[in-house]
Amino acid sequence: MSGRRRLDWLGLTPEPERELPTAVAALRASSHGASAGPPPDDLTARERRRVERLILRGSRHGWLRYLAEVTDLVTGVAAGSRAGDRAAALLAGEVVLDHHRMLIGLPGPGYSRTAQDRTALERAVRTLRAPTTTGAVR
């Protein structure tokens, strides 16, 4: 091995870095009993630092593991098995799904590794886009 780090996984759009921290912070906050809406600033800042750390010092494997964690949050809200802000879950789901679809253009196993997550996210995004029957936010 040449010792050089493969960074092609960073060549995707900036939406995950820009949009995920706030959405994920909202999902984490609502799963701990906070009301729907903007998450507390400290949670958003913590999530932003985590994403920045992954991008600047992480690896493809660590990044995909983080996105799998986000996928679990999104699919839990969509399935109703976890409390959460549906708008934040939809945004996070769309961003991660777009990311996973673009992996087809990059070398490496990322696209095949995310196949199950793509399927779960497609289903979750469809569910989250549909109007709720009660009108209440879960």
Side-chain angles (χ1 to χ4, degrees):
M1 188 159 190
S2 71
R4 289 184 13 209
R5 239 176 102 199
R6 298 254 345 227
L7 299 176
D8 51 10
W9 61 277
L10 292 172
L12 298 172
T13 65
E15 280 80 9
E17 181 181 5
R18 189 172 49 227
E19 297 178 354
L20 282 181
T22 302
V24 173
L27 291 173
R28 291 189 199 286
S30 61
S31 70
H32 290 98
S35 61
D41 290 340
D42 62 326
L43 287 179
T44 301
R46 187 178 320 142
E47 201 65 37
R48 190 167 309 287
R49 283 190 304 272
R50 184 174 181 199
V51 168
E52 287 173 0
R53 198 170 41 251
L54 280 166
I55 290 172
L56 295 175
R57 291 182 277 293
S59 64
R60 175 193 325 245
H61 180 72
W63 179 242
L64 291 179
R65 190 172 49 243
Y66 172 76
L67 294 180
E69 186 180 317
V70 174
T71 298
D72 289 342
L73 291 169
V74 169
T75 57
V77 171
S81 60
R82 116 180 266 117
D85 181 326
R86 289 177 64 86
L90 178 59
L91 174 62
E94 289 172 334
V95 168
V96 175
L97 182 57
D98 286 347
H99 175 280
H100 285 357
R101 286 176 174 159
M102 286 188 277
L103 289 174
I104 197 169
L106 296 179
Y111 188 76
S112 61
R113 279 190 186 159
T114 60
Q116 285 184 307
D117 284 353
R118 276 194 315 278
T119 300
L121 285 166
E122 287 167 352
R123 186 173 27 256
V125 165
R126 271 194 310 274
T127 299
L128 292 165
R129 283 181 181 156
T132 60
T133 54
T134 62
V137 177
R138 294 182 198 189

